[in-house]
Amino acid sequence: MRKFGLTTALAGAAFLSLAGMAAAETVRVTVAEYSSKTGPYFEEAAKAFEEANPDADIQIEVVPWDVLLQKLTTDISGGANADLSIIGTRWLIDFVEQGIAAPLDDYMSDEFKERFFPVFLEPSVMDGKTYGLPIAASARAMYYNKDLFEQAGVTEVPDTWEELAAAAEKISALGDDIAGFGLQGKEIETDVYFYYAFWAHGGELVEEDGTSGLDSEAAYKAAETYKSLIESGATQPGVTSYNREDVQNLFKQGKVGMMITAPFLSNQIKEEAPDLEYGVAAIPAGPDGDRGTYGVTDSIIMFENSENKDLAWKFLDMLFTTEWRAKFTEGEGFLPVNPEVAKQPAFADNADLKAFTGLLPDARFAPVIPGWEEIAAKTSDAIQTIYLGDADPKATLDAAAEDINGILGN
Amino acid sequence: MIRSPLTNPYVLILPGFLLAAFIILWPLYQLGMISLNEVNRFGQLRGFNDAENYIAVFTDPDFLGALWRTAIWTGGIVIGTLLVSVPVAIILNDEFYGRSIARVIIMLPWAVSLTMTAIVWRWALNGESGMLNSGLQNLGLIDQNIQWLARASTAFPVQIMIGILVTIPFTTTIFLGGLSSIPDDLYEAARLEGASRWQTFREITLPLMKPFLNISIVLNMIYVFNSFPIIWATTQGGPANSTDILVTYLYKLGFRFGKLGEASALSVMMFALLLAFTILYVSLAMRRDSK
């Protein structure tokens, strides 16, 4: 009897879900997993949307960042892609050139456009059309450990790379397992860590004539800066075995005096090392006062082959209302991309976030060019070779610049 | 026995063959097609482009480096595994108290996913908080932390060592099977004749184990050549591509840089290389066997 009941229930459930599917319009959304909060947030949004639109069925697929591009590539080549997806904005040009992302201008009202800070919407505009909406934004700033500063007798937060080097050496002298400047030399954003000093010396990733800027004086100077930090023991030993998380972990353990990273580190410190006395400051400037932080946005795009574009847009519209944006941005520890969200006390009164938003005028984004991932990899390779001390920095950078010029089509 | 057309061996293996063809030959054909086409980032074909993908792979300096390292990687692990597994199998073949437990212990690493093993090693090799460094320091072997994964000269040998470690269970199992097929009276006779342990090993064990050695060499070679997780989880082929083998290089080409045409060309080349090597080895081994 019990078995019978279960079977009936199952059959009934199956029938109901079939019937539901027949009536509902389905929108599939591929979501990148920023943290453990990402999945639940989008599921909640989907549920709220389905309640307001009984005919809608929103399916959320959460994918780890590492494999997102791979999944999208296989999905698209197999014609099985979702209707909406989060992508790194630096990938967008490939999606647009191959006609895979749909332009959104027809859906966007002026009121909708005004919800964004223009600086964050711009990277998704190509040939005058908007192809993506900034779902997440962050910049980089320098975190410093106040206790280590005090112990080493460093009273001023370094504002130039020279001051940073001096402070880092003093802090490193505190002990064997203490590093003044945490330097990352492995995996994602290894190239970016190099750009901070590169930009400070006035470098440009792609110069005006369309060639790589790695064979410039600024790049040589930046390489020297980092190399002398490594050689004087101002960084942790073996920098090429540390990725971004590794250096952040050292910082949380109080073993690193200064490091440059994204706003989400403050969230992690709050949860994992609440006693750490730290501050957030600008990335140091070069001799001429130049400085640059790395601005990153991720966009959510609509696929050209989506069959339910109107409904997909409706869901996007909800995601970009102030209430849902604030919830996402606060949970993940990103910078607000919407003025209304930025005005809320959770953001406006957050000193760490203020330091980051203060840097935005200096923010530089990855250049929007095809093949950027490969260029970044070539740059990382060259930088790792220099960090290891295996080759002459100038020759290594020149060779990398030549390779990159090949990719740029020069 | 009367043979009806239905029990003809060719008819009987036909379903299996068709299934294998569908699973193996069809993707291979697809791969070949992609490798001869211009392909965009999303795997959509854009017309034939002669052998440009192959030329691009061949002229990439990273390819030659990865090829060379693949040879070291494969050779190192296959030979290293052989050197460890033969004595281990011989010991486990002897009767001793707790042998079945020892056999289970040898097999256990096989039950753990390769990626998981590699990630655990990544932690153990961590320069600052890794177990390996603290272990070596406690033993007094080193007095300063070694950054194992910081450069290829330490990372690559360690990766090969992990490779050997995870290949041992499977290989030992093959050898144990082989050893149990050698009749005991051969050893008894040899002992009566006064043969030393080394002599019985050389004259009885080794020749009779040969088919099993051959199988383990061929299978391990194919498997290790294509093995991705250890290197990817520990260094992702870095720093500066210095621990890249062909598979990790292939992954970067295909999924990082979106050059699916070149990636397909490389996989076709890898397939051809392995096939040629296997045929060569098997035919050499067979010829010696039948002599």
Side-chain angles (χ1 to χ4, degrees):
Chain A
M1 184 59 214
R2 202 174 145 218
K3 197 176 168 196
F4 173 70
L6 186 70
T7 329
T8 333
L10 278 177
F15 177 73
L16 277 178
S17 67
L18 268 178
M21 262 160 85
E25 275 188 289
T26 310
V27 172
R28 283 170 55 215
V29 190
T30 305
V31 168
E33 186 171 37
Y34 294 99
S35 73
S36 53
K37 290 177 183 156
T38 316
Y41 166 82
F42 278 98
E43 289 296 348
E44 200 188 329
K47 224 172 142 195
F49 186 76
E50 283 166 358
E51 268 164 27
N53 303 273
D55 286 346
D57 177 23
I58 306 282
Q59 292 177 4
I60 307 285
E61 304 167 321
V62 183
V63 184
W65 254 115
D66 296 359
V67 293
L68 178 63
L69 187 55
Q70 180 193 342
K71 179 187 158 57
L72 290 173
T73 306
T74 31
D75 281 0
I76 292 165
S77 66
N81 54 272
D83 300 277
L84 298 170
S85 176
I86 292 181
I87 65 165
T89 308
R90 59 190 183 282
W91 307 337
L92 186 63
I93 188 161
D94 287 324
F95 283 76
V96 172
E97 277 189 349
Q98 305 296 338
I100 285 162
L104 302 172
D105 302 270
D106 291 348
Y107 299 100
M108 287 163 67
S109 61
D110 286 343
E111 179 271 326
F112 186 85
K113 279 186 204 162
E114 277 161 18
R115 293 187 203 167
F116 297 92
F117 285 120
V119 61
F120 288 123
L121 202 51
E122 254 158 44
S124 312
V125 180
M126 276 165 208
D127 297 332
K129 289 183 191 153
T130 312
Y131 287 94
L133 303 172
I135 188 101
S138 74
R140 307 288 180 259
M142 190 174 78
Y143 287 75
Y144 61 95
N145 183 322
K146 289 182 178 166
D147 286 339
L148 289 179
F149 267 49
E150 201 175 308
Q151 283 174 42
V154 181
T155 47
E156 293 276 308
V157 180
D159 193 52
T160 65
W161 282 92
E162 269 179 27
E163 289 169 24
L164 179 139
E169 272 181 55
K170 277 189 205 161
I171 296 168
S172 277
L174 289 175
D176 266 353
D177 55 348
I178 306 285
F181 182 62
L183 179 56
Q184 103 168 62
K186 184 178 171 182
E187 293 166 13
I188 189 170
E189 279 195 18
T190 298
D191 57 326
V192 176
Y193 222 92
F194 175 77
Y195 302 152
Y196 302 131
F198 175 64
W199 285 325
H201 285 97
E204 289 291 336
L205 289 173
V206 179
E207 289 178 345
E208 270 172 34
D209 58 356
T211 60
S212 164
L214 281 189
D215 52 358
S216 65
E217 212 43 51
Y220 305 149
K221 289 238 177 75
E224 262 168 46
T225 306
Y226 284 128
K227 214 168 141 43
S228 73
L229 281 169
I230 293 172
E231 280 166 3
S232 64
T235 66
Q236 82 281 16
V239 290
T240 46
S241 63
Y242 288 86
N243 65 13
R244 183 171 70 191
E245 272 65 42
D246 296 331
V247 184
Q248 287 178 179
N249 285 339
L250 286 185
F251 187 83
K252 283 181 243 171
Q253 292 162 16
K255 290 179 175 171
V256 160
M258 296 165 273
M259 79 167 295
I260 301 170
T261 190
F264 47 66
L265 181 64
S266 347
N267 271 23
Q268 293 179 19
I269 292 174
K270 239 175 264 159
E271 280 174 20
E272 296 167 36
D275 297 335
L276 192 75
E277 289 287 329
Y278 72 98
V280 180
I283 291 169
D288 300 331
D290 287 324
R291 65 175 100 219
T293 178
Y294 186 57
V296 186
T297 62
D298 298 327
S299 299
I300 186 159
I301 60 159
M302 190 191 290
F303 284 93
E304 188 59 80
N305 64 357
S306 162
E307 284 171 3
N308 292 320
K309 283 191 182 142
D310 289 335
L311 192 67
W313 174 260
K314 223 171 155 188
F315 183 58
L316 279 186
D317 191 45
M318 187 195 93
L319 283 182
F320 284 94
T321 53
T322 308
E323 175 202 353
W324 285 99
R325 287 274 63 208
K327 198 167 178 188
F328 176 80
T329 313
E330 196 183 351
E332 305 285 359
F334 286 121
L335 300 182
V337 296
N338 315 80
E340 283 304 315
V341 175
K343 278 183 212 149
Q344 296 192 354
F347 301 95
D349 301 343
N350 184 326
D352 289 357
L353 280 183
K354 253 193 204 156
F356 279 97
T357 34
L359 289 177
L360 284 177
D362 292 321
R364 309 186 193 212
F365 295 85
V368 184
I369 40 179
W372 173 248
E373 290 290 323
E374 197 182 356
I375 294 171
K378 291 268 180 222
T379 312
S380 291
D381 289 350
I383 290 157
Q384 288 176 330
T385 314
I386 294 169
Y387 289 173
L388 287 168
D390 285 346
D392 172 53
K394 185 174 180 299
T396 314
L397 288 169
D398 288 347
E402 207 182 314
D403 280 351
I404 292 171
N405 286 335
I407 301 168
L408 289 170
N410 293 307
Chain B
M1 183 184 154
I2 307 156
R3 181 164 274 178
S4 89
L6 271 181
T7 55
N8 181 312
Y10 290 104
V11 175
L12 290 175
I13 61 169
L14 191 67
F17 176 78
L18 286 179
L19 190 67
F22 181 69
I23 293 174
I24 299 165
L25 298 181
W26 174 245
L28 205 62
Y29 163 78
Q30 287 277 334
L31 208 58
M33 285 300 291
I34 298 174
S35 75
L36 290 171
N37 269 281
E38 197 190 323
V39 190
N40 75 3
R41 202 178 196 316
F42 303 104
Q44 295 154 335
L45 302 190
R46 292 284 186 261
F48 281 102
N49 69 346
D50 303 319
E52 256 177 52
N53 291 327
Y54 289 87
I55 296 168
V57 171
F58 255 121
T59 50
D60 186 349
D62 290 341
F63 165 73
L64 286 180
L67 184 67
W68 171 236
R69 270 186 300 275
T70 311
I72 301 177
W73 163 257
T74 315
I77 294 181
V78 171
I79 294 169
T81 307
L82 214 63
L83 291 179
V84 181
S85 295
V86 170
V88 168
I90 288 176
I91 292 168
L92 285 180
N93 195 44
D94 280 344
E95 290 282 350
F96 62 88
Y97 182 72
R99 182 176 73 160
S100 44
I101 294 175
R103 281 190 174 188
V104 171
I105 291 174
I106 283 286
M107 290 294 298
L108 270 183
W110 209 17
V112 182
S113 103
L114 206 50
T115 315
M116 214 48 241
T117 315
I119 289 173
V120 169
W121 271 99
R122 184 192 164 118
W123 293 335
L125 291 167
N126 185 302
E128 213 54 49
S129 50
M131 285 218 343
L132 190 64
N133 273 336
S134 49
L136 289 176
Q137 286 209 2
N138 286 341
L139 291 173
L141 291 174
I142 55 171
D143 52 8
Q144 221 181 355
N145 280 339
I146 297 175
Q147 301 289 335
W148 296 98
L149 299 178
R151 49 173 65 241
S153 57
T154 47
F156 201 51
V158 175
Q159 286 164 334
I160 290 180
M161 191 211 69
I162 303 171
I164 293 175
L165 219 61
V166 296
T167 317
I168 286 174
F170 170 70
T171 317
T172 310
T173 314
I174 295 186
F175 291 167
L176 274 174
L179 286 172
S180 64
S181 74
I182 303 176
D184 280 341
D185 28 346
L186 284 180
Y187 290 107
E188 253 166 61
R191 217 176 303 134
L192 285 177
E193 300 284 344
S196 70
R197 236 191 125 103
W198 173 243
Q199 276 172 323
T200 48
F201 174 72
R202 270 205 53 181
E203 302 297 330
I204 300 173
T205 316
L206 216 48
L208 287 173
M209 282 284 285
K210 213 158 154 213
F212 298 93
L213 292 173
N214 284 336
I215 287 219
S216 80
I217 288 173
V218 171
L219 289 183
N220 279 340
M221 218 179 64
I222 296 172
Y223 188 65
V224 171
F225 186 92
N226 285 324
S227 180
F228 176 80
I230 297 174
I231 289 189
W232 195 257
T234 47
T235 60
Q236 296 196 351
N241 290 333
S242 55
T243 55
D244 255 335
I245 58 171
L246 287 176
V247 228
T248 54
Y249 172 62
L250 170 75
Y251 183 90
K252 286 182 188 170
L253 269 186
F255 292 118
R256 281 252 169 106
F257 309 154
K259 295 178 170 180
L260 294 174
E262 287 178 31
S264 309
L266 178 60
S267 19
V268 171
M269 278 152 65
M270 285 169 68
F271 175 76
L273 200 69
L274 260 187
L275 193 69
F277 210 84
T278 312
I279 291 175
L280 186 76
Y281 184 82
V282 169
S283 63
L284 279 179
M286 294 292 181
R287 195 165 57 198
R288 251 183 280 142
D289 272 354
S290 56
K291 207 161 45 180

